[in-house]
Amino acid sequence: MDYADPKKKNNFVGKILMAAILTALCILMLKQSPDFNPPTAFSRHEPGVTHVLVTGGAGYIGSHAALRLLKDSYRVTIVDNLSRGNLGAVRILQELFPEPGRFQFIYADLGDAKVVHKIFSQNAFDAVMHFAAVAYVGESTLDPLKYYHNITSNTLTVLEAMATRGVPTLIYSSTCATYGEPEKMPITEETPQPINPYGKAKKMAEEIILDFHKNSNMSVMILRYFNVIGSDPNGRLGEAPRPELREHGRISGACFDAARGIIPGLKVRGIDYKTADGTCIRDYIDVTDLVDAHVKALEKARPGKVGIYNVGTGRGRSVKEFVEACKTATGVPIKVDFLPRRPGDYAEVYSDPTKIRNELNWTAKYTDLQESLQIAWRWQKSHLNGYGLSVAGGGGGGG
């Protein structure tokens, strides 16, 4: 009768054990590696599902766009470095759409090209809505290099990643600031361009996109929009700028801060413009309408085609008109201080939305200035700390 050599048996068992340990270590190292990503719904294309990357999706406009896309059954990935966005807005979207494969948030800076290319390599995007940008005219005149880096350079990085990975559709969030000081109103898509660093940086980004497109089959839609106001009518999202940026922010935010007593009053810069009441005239577009225009642009995008559109109401309102509407909407007799002009501001800017109406079948619906401000004011009152803890009964919660 033959007997197995105990030494050989122990050696064999030892080898199996060592192989198992080494395999386990390799798996552990792979999982810890930044390059290891198991397949997910976000990493593969799926028939009937459009996966949209929303850059800057934690911001005011981007978060509203992400909400609309998710409601319309798109798959959404937000990339944001939270330098100006709000993690609270992301958490609300996560709570509203918790189903696997619907929504994901990636904390990243578009200024890091290596990281951007990695994100594109690990996700199967069908389209990009590029909102991410610093966006204050006054700040751009004080720190122009920040604007050229953040807007122009970062757009180039995104475009390169799209080209490398064959992402077919770009919806670019631009601005009426690309038009400069217009000689006549209203602004058409042919109006000469621009005068401040913010507008110049956006215009440069547009030119890069258009130059690339000449030898590409990419679908490109460029939306130049005007002064954004309002918030989600259902109270889930709103505008919550960082305190240190309030000085450069939108007039609606300043009105609400004055109504809440955060600042002693509202500063209106410039009362000697060549307008009926001496203050600037602007075209105020509700964020719900603006988001609808982006979705329509996505739906109408076609390979090899470029569309450039103004997104506005077509009606100009003076700053004094706006302030009076804000006083009525908030019910607060806001104190107003009139100061000298702000560098880079134009006297009169409002849109001609004929082209977008004819080609995309889009028309602004939320055109009652006071109503838009009332909706935004409700969110402000119930979210005194922005996306921090909300006031009871606030309709949308904090986070």
Coordinates of all heavy atoms in Angstrom, one line a residue, residues 211-294:
D211 N -14.2 76.2 -33.7 CA -13.1 75.8 -34.5 C -12.9 74.3 -34.6 O -12.7 73.7 -35.6 CB -11.8 76.5 -34.0 CG -11.7 77.9 -34.4 OD1 -12.4 78.4 -35.3 OD2 -10.9 78.6 -33.8
F212 N -13.1 73.7 -33.4 CA -13.0 72.2 -33.3 C -14.1 71.6 -34.2 O -13.9 70.6 -34.9 CB -13.2 71.8 -31.8 CG -13.4 70.3 -31.7 CD1 -12.4 69.4 -31.9 CD2 -14.7 69.8 -31.4 CE1 -12.7 68.0 -31.8 CE2 -15.0 68.5 -31.3 CZ -13.9 67.5 -31.5
H213 N -15.3 72.2 -34.1 CA -16.4 71.6 -34.8 C -16.3 71.5 -36.3 O -16.9 70.7 -37.0 CB -17.7 72.3 -34.4 CG -19.0 71.7 -35.0 ND1 -19.5 72.1 -36.2 CD2 -19.7 70.7 -34.5 CE1 -20.6 71.3 -36.4 NE2 -20.7 70.5 -35.4
K214 N -15.5 72.4 -36.9 CA -15.3 72.5 -38.3 C -14.8 71.1 -38.9 O -15.1 70.8 -40.0 CB -14.3 73.6 -38.7 CG -14.9 75.0 -38.5 CD -13.8 76.0 -38.7 CE -14.3 77.4 -38.4 NZ -13.3 78.5 -38.5
N215 N -14.1 70.3 -38.1 CA -13.6 69.0 -38.5 C -14.1 67.9 -37.7 O -13.5 66.9 -37.4 CB -12.1 69.0 -38.6 CG -11.5 70.0 -39.5 OD1 -11.8 69.9 -40.7 ND2 -10.8 71.0 -39.1
S216 N -15.3 68.1 -37.2 CA -15.9 67.1 -36.2 C -17.4 66.9 -36.6 O -18.0 67.8 -37.2 CB -15.8 67.6 -34.8 OG -16.7 66.9 -33.9
N217 N -17.9 65.7 -36.2 CA -19.3 65.4 -36.4 C -20.1 65.7 -35.1 O -21.3 65.2 -35.0 CB -19.5 64.0 -36.9 CG -20.8 63.8 -37.6 OD1 -21.3 64.7 -38.4 ND2 -21.5 62.7 -37.4
M218 N -19.5 66.3 -34.2 CA -20.2 66.5 -32.9 C -21.4 67.4 -33.1 O -21.4 68.4 -33.9 CB -19.2 67.2 -31.9 CG -19.7 67.3 -30.5 SD -18.5 68.1 -29.4 CE -17.3 66.8 -29.2
S219 N -22.4 67.2 -32.3 CA -23.6 68.1 -32.2 C -23.3 69.1 -31.2 O -22.9 68.8 -30.0 CB -24.8 67.3 -31.7 OG -25.1 66.2 -32.5
V220 N -23.4 70.4 -31.5 CA -23.1 71.5 -30.6 C -24.2 72.5 -30.6 O -24.8 72.9 -31.6 CB -21.8 72.2 -31.1 CG1 -21.6 73.5 -30.3 CG2 -20.6 71.3 -31.0
M221 N -24.6 72.8 -29.3 CA -25.6 73.8 -29.1 C -25.0 74.8 -28.1 O -24.6 74.4 -27.0 CB -26.9 73.2 -28.5 CG -27.7 72.3 -29.5 SD -28.4 73.3 -30.8 CE -29.8 72.3 -31.2
I222 N -25.0 76.1 -28.5 CA -24.5 77.2 -27.6 C -25.7 78.1 -27.2 O -26.3 78.6 -28.1 CB -23.4 78.0 -28.3 CG1 -22.2 77.1 -28.6 CG2 -23.0 79.2 -27.5 CD1 -21.1 77.7 -29.5
L223 N -25.9 78.2 -25.9 CA -27.0 79.0 -25.4 C -26.5 80.2 -24.7 O -25.8 80.1 -23.6 CB -27.9 78.1 -24.5 CG -28.5 76.8 -25.0 CD1 -29.4 76.2 -24.0 CD2 -29.2 77.1 -26.3
R224 N -26.8 81.3 -25.2 CA -26.4 82.6 -24.6 C -27.5 83.2 -23.8 O -28.5 83.7 -24.4 CB -25.9 83.6 -25.7 CG -24.7 83.1 -26.5 CD -24.4 84.0 -27.6 NE -23.3 83.6 -28.4 CZ -23.1 83.9 -29.7 NH1 -23.9 84.7 -30.3 NH2 -22.0 83.5 -30.3
Y225 N -27.4 83.1 -22.5 CA -28.6 83.5 -21.7 C -28.3 84.8 -20.9 O -27.2 85.2 -20.8 CB -29.2 82.4 -20.9 CG -28.2 81.6 -20.0 CD1 -27.8 82.1 -18.8 CD2 -27.8 80.4 -20.4 CE1 -27.0 81.4 -18.0 CE2 -26.9 79.6 -19.6 CZ -26.5 80.1 -18.4 OH -25.7 79.4 -17.6
F226 N -29.4 85.3 -20.4 CA -29.4 86.6 -19.8 C -29.4 86.5 -18.3 O -28.9 85.6 -17.7 CB -30.5 87.4 -20.5 CG -30.2 87.7 -21.9 CD1 -30.2 86.7 -22.9 CD2 -29.9 89.0 -22.3 CE1 -29.8 87.0 -24.2 CE2 -29.6 89.3 -23.7 CZ -29.5 88.3 -24.6
N227 N -30.1 87.4 -17.6 CA -30.0 87.5 -16.1 C -31.0 86.5 -15.5 O -32.2 86.6 -15.7 CB -30.3 88.9 -15.6 CG -29.2 89.9 -16.1 OD1 -29.1 90.1 -17.3 ND2 -28.5 90.4 -15.2
V228 N -30.4 85.5 -14.8 CA -31.3 84.4 -14.3 C -31.8 84.7 -12.9 O -31.1 85.2 -12.1 CB -30.4 83.1 -14.3 CG1 -31.3 81.9 -14.0 CG2 -29.7 82.9 -15.6
I229 N -33.1 84.4 -12.8 CA -33.8 84.6 -11.5 C -34.7 83.4 -11.2 O -34.8 82.5 -12.0 CB -34.7 85.9 -11.5 CG1 -35.7 85.8 -12.6 CG2 -33.8 87.1 -11.7 CD1 -36.8 86.9 -12.6
G230 N -35.3 83.4 -10.1 CA -36.3 82.3 -9.7 C -35.7 81.1 -9.1 O -34.5 81.1 -8.8
S231 N -36.5 80.1 -8.9 CA -36.0 78.8 -8.4 C -37.1 77.8 -8.6 O -38.2 78.1 -9.2 CB -35.7 78.9 -6.9 OG -36.9 79.3 -6.1
D232 N -36.8 76.5 -8.3 CA -37.8 75.4 -8.5 C -39.1 75.8 -7.9 O -39.2 76.0 -6.7 CB -37.2 74.2 -7.8 CG -38.2 73.0 -7.8 OD1 -38.9 72.9 -8.8 OD2 -38.2 72.3 -6.8
P233 N -40.2 75.8 -8.7 CA -41.5 76.1 -8.2 C -42.0 75.2 -7.0 O -42.8 75.6 -6.2 CB -42.4 75.9 -9.4 CG -41.5 76.1 -10.6 CD -40.2 75.5 -10.2
N234 N -41.5 74.0 -7.0 CA -41.8 73.1 -5.9 C -41.0 73.2 -4.6 O -41.1 72.4 -3.7 CB -41.8 71.6 -6.4 CG -42.8 71.3 -7.4 OD1 -44.0 71.7 -7.3 ND2 -42.5 70.7 -8.5
G235 N -40.1 74.2 -4.6 CA -39.3 74.5 -3.4 C -38.2 73.5 -3.1 O -37.7 73.5 -1.9
R236 N -37.8 72.7 -4.0 CA -36.7 71.7 -3.7 C -35.3 72.3 -3.8 O -34.4 72.0 -3.1 CB -36.8 70.5 -4.6 CG -38.1 69.7 -4.3 CD -38.5 68.8 -5.4 NE -38.8 69.5 -6.6 CZ -39.4 69.0 -7.7 NH1 -39.6 67.6 -7.7 NH2 -39.7 69.7 -8.8
L237 N -35.1 73.3 -4.7 CA -33.8 73.9 -5.0 C -34.0 75.4 -5.0 O -35.0 75.9 -5.3 CB -33.2 73.4 -6.3 CG -33.0 71.9 -6.5 CD1 -32.6 71.6 -7.9 CD2 -31.9 71.4 -5.5
G238 N -32.9 76.1 -4.8 CA -32.9 77.5 -4.8 C -31.5 78.0 -5.1 O -30.6 77.3 -5.4
E239 N -31.3 79.3 -4.9 CA -30.0 79.9 -5.1 C -29.4 80.2 -3.7 O -30.0 80.9 -2.9 CB -30.1 81.2 -5.9 CG -28.7 81.8 -6.2 CD -28.8 83.1 -7.0 OE1 -29.9 83.6 -7.2 OE2 -27.7 83.6 -7.5
A240 N -28.1 79.7 -3.5 CA -27.5 79.9 -2.2 C -26.0 80.2 -2.4 O -25.1 79.4 -2.2 CB -27.7 78.7 -1.3
P241 N -25.7 81.4 -2.8 CA -24.3 81.8 -3.1 C -23.5 81.8 -1.8 O -24.0 82.1 -0.7 CB -24.4 83.2 -3.7 CG -25.6 83.7 -3.2 CD -26.6 82.6 -3.1
R242 N -22.2 81.6 -1.9 CA -21.3 81.7 -0.7 C -21.3 83.1 -0.2 O -21.3 84.1 -1.0 CB -19.9 81.2 -1.0 CG -19.9 79.7 -1.4 CD -18.5 79.2 -1.7 NE -18.5 77.8 -2.1 CZ -18.5 76.8 -1.2 NH1 -18.4 77.1 0.1 NH2 -18.5 75.6 -1.5
P243 N -21.2 83.3 1.1 CA -21.3 84.7 1.7 C -20.2 85.6 1.1 O -20.4 86.8 0.9 CB -21.0 84.4 3.2 CG -21.6 83.0 3.4 CD -21.2 82.3 2.2
E244 N -19.0 85.0 0.9 CA -17.9 85.9 0.4 C -18.1 86.3 -1.0 O -17.4 87.2 -1.5 CB -16.5 85.1 0.5 CG -16.4 83.9 -0.4 CD -16.9 82.6 0.3 OE1 -17.7 82.7 1.2 OE2 -16.5 81.5 -0.2
L245 N -19.1 85.7 -1.7 CA -19.3 86.1 -3.1 C -20.5 87.0 -3.3 O -20.8 87.4 -4.4 CB -19.5 84.8 -4.0 CG -18.3 83.9 -4.0 CD1 -18.7 82.6 -4.7 CD2 -17.1 84.6 -4.8
R246 N -21.2 87.3 -2.2 CA -22.4 88.1 -2.3 C -22.2 89.4 -3.0 O -23.1 89.9 -3.7 CB -23.0 88.3 -0.9 CG -23.8 87.0 -0.4 CD -24.6 87.4 0.8 NE -25.6 86.4 1.0 CZ -25.6 85.4 1.9 NH1 -24.5 85.3 2.7 NH2 -26.5 84.5 2.1
E247 N -21.1 90.0 -2.7 CA -20.8 91.4 -3.3 C -20.8 91.4 -4.8 O -21.2 92.3 -5.5 CB -19.4 91.9 -2.8 CG -19.1 93.3 -3.3 CD -17.7 93.7 -2.9 OE1 -17.1 93.0 -2.1 OE2 -17.2 94.8 -3.4
H248 N -20.4 90.2 -5.4 CA -20.4 90.1 -6.9 C -21.6 89.4 -7.5 O -21.7 89.3 -8.7 CB -19.1 89.3 -7.3 CG -17.8 89.9 -6.8 ND1 -17.4 91.1 -7.3 CD2 -16.9 89.4 -5.9 CE1 -16.2 91.4 -6.7 NE2 -15.9 90.4 -5.9
G249 N -22.5 89.0 -6.6 CA -23.6 88.1 -7.1 C -24.7 88.8 -7.8 O -24.7 90.0 -8.1
R250 N -25.8 88.0 -8.1 CA -26.9 88.5 -8.8 C -27.7 89.5 -8.0 O -27.8 89.4 -6.8 CB -27.8 87.3 -9.2 CG -27.2 86.4 -10.2 CD -28.1 85.2 -10.5 NE -27.5 84.3 -11.5 CZ -26.6 83.3 -11.2 NH1 -26.3 83.1 -9.9 NH2 -26.1 82.6 -12.2
I251 N -28.4 90.4 -8.7 CA -29.2 91.4 -8.0 C -30.3 90.8 -7.2 O -30.7 91.3 -6.1 CB -29.8 92.4 -9.0 CG1 -30.5 93.6 -8.2 CG2 -30.7 91.8 -10.0 CD1 -30.9 94.7 -9.1
S252 N -30.9 89.6 -7.6 CA -31.9 89.0 -6.9 C -31.4 88.5 -5.5 O -32.1 88.7 -4.5 CB -32.5 87.8 -7.6 OG -31.5 86.9 -8.0
G253 N -30.2 88.0 -5.5 CA -29.6 87.6 -4.2 C -29.4 88.7 -3.3 O -29.6 88.6 -2.1
A254 N -28.9 89.9 -3.9 CA -28.7 91.1 -3.0 C -30.0 91.6 -2.5 O -30.1 92.0 -1.3 CB -28.0 92.1 -3.9
C255 N -31.1 91.6 -3.3 CA -32.4 92.0 -2.8 C -32.9 91.1 -1.7 O -33.4 91.7 -0.6 CB -33.4 91.9 -4.0 SG -33.5 93.3 -5.1
F256 N -32.7 89.8 -1.8 CA -33.2 88.9 -0.7 C -32.3 89.1 0.5 O -32.9 89.1 1.7 CB -33.1 87.5 -1.2 CG -34.1 87.2 -2.3 CD1 -33.7 86.3 -3.3 CD2 -35.3 87.8 -2.4 CE1 -34.6 86.0 -4.4 CE2 -36.2 87.5 -3.5 CZ -35.8 86.6 -4.4
D257 N -31.1 89.3 0.4 CA -30.2 89.6 1.5 C -30.6 90.8 2.3 O -30.6 90.9 3.5 CB -28.7 89.7 1.1 CG -28.1 88.3 0.8 OD1 -28.7 87.3 1.1 OD2 -27.0 88.3 0.2
A258 N -31.0 91.9 1.5 CA -31.4 93.1 2.1 C -32.7 92.9 2.8 O -33.0 93.4 3.9 CB -31.5 94.2 1.1
A259 N -33.7 92.1 2.2 CA -35.0 91.9 2.8 C -34.8 91.1 4.1 O -35.6 91.2 5.0 CB -35.9 91.1 1.8
R260 N -33.8 90.2 4.2 CA -33.6 89.4 5.3 C -32.8 90.1 6.4 O -32.6 89.5 7.5 CB -33.0 88.1 4.9 CG -33.9 87.1 4.2 CD -33.1 85.9 3.6 NE -32.3 85.3 4.6 CZ -31.5 84.3 4.4 NH1 -31.3 83.9 3.1 NH2 -30.8 83.7 5.3
G261 N -32.2 91.2 6.1 CA -31.4 92.0 7.0 C -30.0 91.5 7.1 O -29.2 91.9 8.0
I262 N -29.6 90.7 6.2 CA -28.2 90.2 6.1 C -27.2 91.3 5.8 O -26.1 91.4 6.3 CB -28.0 89.0 5.1 CG1 -28.9 87.8 5.6 CG2 -26.6 88.6 4.9 CD1 -28.9 86.7 4.6
I263 N -27.7 92.2 4.9 CA -27.0 93.4 4.6 C -27.9 94.6 4.8 O -29.2 94.4 4.8 CB -26.5 93.4 3.1 CG1 -27.7 93.2 2.1 CG2 -25.5 92.3 2.8 CD1 -27.3 93.3 0.6
P264 N -27.4 95.8 5.1 CA -28.2 96.9 5.6 C -29.1 97.4 4.5 O -30.1 98.1 4.8 CB -27.2 97.9 6.0 CG -25.9 97.6 5.3 CD -25.9 96.1 5.2
G265 N -28.8 97.2 3.2 CA -29.6 97.7 2.2 C -29.1 97.2 0.8 O -28.1 96.5 0.7
L266 N -29.8 97.6 -0.2 CA -29.4 97.2 -1.6 C -28.6 98.3 -2.2 O -29.0 99.5 -2.2 CB -30.7 96.9 -2.4 CG -30.5 96.4 -3.8 CD1 -29.7 95.1 -3.9 CD2 -31.8 96.3 -4.5
K267 N -27.5 97.9 -2.8 CA -26.6 98.9 -3.6 C -26.9 98.8 -5.0 O -26.7 97.8 -5.7 CB -25.2 98.6 -3.3 CG -24.8 98.7 -1.8 CD -23.3 98.3 -1.6 CE -22.9 98.5 -0.1 NZ -21.5 98.1 0.1
V268 N -27.4 99.9 -5.6 CA -27.7 100.0 -7.0 C -26.5 100.8 -7.7 O -26.3 101.9 -7.3 CB -29.0 100.6 -7.3 CG1 -29.2 100.9 -8.8 CG2 -30.2 99.7 -6.8
R269 N -25.8 100.1 -8.5 CA -24.6 100.8 -9.1 C -24.9 101.3 -10.5 O -25.1 100.6 -11.4 CB -23.4 99.7 -9.2 CG -23.1 99.2 -7.8 CD -21.9 98.3 -7.9 NE -21.5 97.8 -6.6 CZ -20.8 98.4 -5.7 NH1 -20.3 99.6 -6.0 NH2 -20.5 97.8 -4.5
G270 N -24.9 102.7 -10.5 CA -25.1 103.4 -11.8 C -26.5 103.9 -11.9 O -27.5 103.1 -12.0
I271 N -26.7 105.2 -11.9 CA -28.0 105.8 -12.1 C -28.0 106.9 -13.2 O -28.9 107.7 -13.3 CB -28.6 106.4 -10.8 CG1 -27.6 107.4 -10.2 CG2 -29.0 105.3 -9.8 CD1 -28.2 108.2 -9.1
D272 N -26.9 106.9 -14.0 CA -26.7 107.9 -15.0 C -26.5 107.3 -16.4 O -25.9 107.9 -17.3 CB -25.4 108.7 -14.7 CG -24.2 107.9 -14.6 OD1 -24.2 106.7 -14.5 OD2 -23.1 108.5 -14.6
Y273 N -27.1 106.1 -16.6 CA -27.1 105.4 -17.9 C -28.1 106.1 -18.8 O -29.1 106.7 -18.3 CB -27.4 103.9 -17.8 CG -26.3 103.1 -17.2 CD1 -26.3 102.8 -15.8 CD2 -25.2 102.7 -17.9 CE1 -25.3 102.0 -15.2 CE2 -24.2 102.0 -17.3 CZ -24.2 101.6 -16.0 OH -23.2 100.9 -15.4
K274 N -27.9 106.0 -20.1 CA -28.9 106.6 -21.0 C -30.1 105.7 -21.2 O -30.4 105.1 -22.2 CB -28.2 106.8 -22.4 CG -27.1 107.9 -22.3 CD -26.5 108.1 -23.7 CE -25.4 109.1 -23.6 NZ -24.7 109.3 -24.9
T275 N -30.9 105.6 -20.1 CA -32.1 104.8 -20.1 C -33.2 105.6 -19.5 O -32.9 106.7 -18.9 CB -31.9 103.5 -19.2 OG1 -31.6 103.9 -17.9 CG2 -30.8 102.6 -19.8
A276 N -34.4 105.2 -19.5 CA -35.6 106.0 -19.0 C -35.4 106.4 -17.6 O -35.7 107.6 -17.3 CB -36.9 105.2 -19.2
D277 N -34.9 105.6 -16.7 CA -34.8 106.0 -15.3 C -33.4 106.0 -14.8 O -33.1 106.2 -13.7 CB -35.6 105.0 -14.4 CG -35.2 103.6 -14.4 OD1 -34.0 103.3 -14.8 OD2 -36.0 102.7 -14.1
G278 N -32.4 105.9 -15.8 CA -31.0 106.1 -15.4 C -30.3 104.8 -15.0 O -29.1 104.8 -14.8
T279 N -31.1 103.7 -14.7 CA -30.5 102.5 -14.3 C -30.4 101.5 -15.4 O -31.1 101.6 -16.5 CB -31.3 101.8 -13.1 OG1 -32.6 101.5 -13.6 CG2 -31.3 102.8 -11.9
C280 N -29.5 100.5 -15.3 CA -29.3 99.5 -16.3 C -30.6 98.8 -16.7 O -31.5 98.6 -15.8 CB -28.3 98.4 -15.9 SG -26.7 99.1 -15.7
I281 N -30.7 98.3 -17.9 CA -31.9 97.5 -18.3 C -31.4 96.1 -18.6 O -30.4 95.9 -19.3 CB -32.6 98.2 -19.6 CG1 -33.3 99.4 -19.1 CG2 -33.5 97.2 -20.2 CD1 -33.9 100.2 -20.3
R282 N -32.1 95.1 -18.1 CA -31.7 93.7 -18.3 C -32.9 92.9 -18.6 O -34.0 93.2 -18.4 CB -31.0 93.2 -17.0 CG -29.7 93.9 -16.6 CD -28.6 93.5 -17.6 NE -27.3 94.1 -17.3 CZ -26.9 95.3 -17.7 NH1 -27.7 96.0 -18.6 NH2 -25.7 95.7 -17.4
D283 N -32.6 91.7 -19.2 CA -33.6 90.7 -19.6 C -33.5 89.6 -18.5 O -32.5 88.9 -18.4 CB -33.3 90.2 -21.0 CG -34.4 89.3 -21.5 OD1 -35.2 88.8 -20.8 OD2 -34.4 89.1 -22.8
Y284 N -34.6 89.5 -17.7 CA -34.6 88.5 -16.6 C -35.3 87.2 -17.0 O -36.5 87.3 -17.3 CB -35.2 89.2 -15.3 CG -34.4 90.3 -14.8 CD1 -34.8 91.6 -15.1 CD2 -33.3 90.2 -14.1 CE1 -34.1 92.7 -14.7 CE2 -32.5 91.3 -13.6 CZ -32.9 92.5 -13.9 OH -32.2 93.6 -13.5
I285 N -34.5 86.1 -17.0 CA -35.0 84.9 -17.4 C -35.2 83.9 -16.2 O -34.2 83.8 -15.4 CB -34.1 84.2 -18.5 CG1 -34.6 82.8 -18.9 CG2 -32.7 84.2 -18.1 CD1 -35.8 82.9 -19.8
D286 N -36.3 83.3 -16.1 CA -36.6 82.4 -14.9 C -35.8 81.1 -15.2 O -35.7 80.6 -16.3 CB -38.1 82.1 -14.8 CG -38.4 81.4 -13.5 OD1 -38.1 80.2 -13.4 OD2 -39.0 82.0 -12.6
V287 N -35.2 80.6 -14.1 CA -34.3 79.4 -14.2 C -35.1 78.2 -14.7 O -34.5 77.4 -15.4 CB -33.6 79.1 -12.8 CG1 -34.7 78.6 -11.8 CG2 -32.5 78.1 -13.0
T288 N -36.4 78.1 -14.5 CA -37.2 77.0 -15.0 C -37.3 77.1 -16.5 O -37.1 76.1 -17.2 CB -38.6 77.0 -14.4 OG1 -38.5 76.9 -13.0 CG2 -39.4 75.8 -14.9
D289 N -37.4 78.3 -17.1 CA -37.4 78.5 -18.5 C -36.1 78.2 -19.1 O -35.9 77.6 -20.2 CB -37.8 79.9 -18.9 CG -39.3 80.1 -18.8 OD1 -40.1 79.2 -19.1 OD2 -39.7 81.3 -18.5
L290 N -35.0 78.6 -18.4 CA -33.7 78.4 -18.9 C -33.3 76.9 -19.0 O -32.8 76.5 -20.0 CB -32.7 79.1 -18.0 CG -31.2 79.0 -18.3 CD1 -30.9 79.5 -19.7 CD2 -30.3 79.6 -17.2
V291 N -33.7 76.2 -18.0 CA -33.5 74.7 -18.0 C -34.2 74.1 -19.1 O -33.7 73.2 -19.8 CB -33.8 74.1 -16.6 CG1 -33.9 72.6 -16.7 CG2 -32.8 74.6 -15.6
D292 N -35.5 74.5 -19.4 CA -36.3 74.0 -20.4 C -35.6 74.2 -21.8 O -35.6 73.3 -22.7 CB -37.7 74.6 -20.4 CG -38.6 74.1 -21.5 OD1 -38.8 72.8 -21.5 OD2 -39.1 74.8 -22.3
A293 N -35.0 75.3 -22.0 CA -34.3 75.6 -23.2 C -33.1 74.7 -23.4 O -32.8 74.2 -24.5 CB -33.8 77.1 -23.2
H294 N -32.4 74.3 -22.3 CA -31.3 73.4 -22.4 C -31.8 72.0 -22.8 O -31.1 71.3 -23.6 CB -30.5 73.3 -21.1 CG -29.6 74.5 -20.9 ND1 -30.0 75.7 -20.5 CD2 -28.2 74.5 -21.0 CE1 -28.9 76.5 -20.4 NE2 -27.9 75.8 -20.7

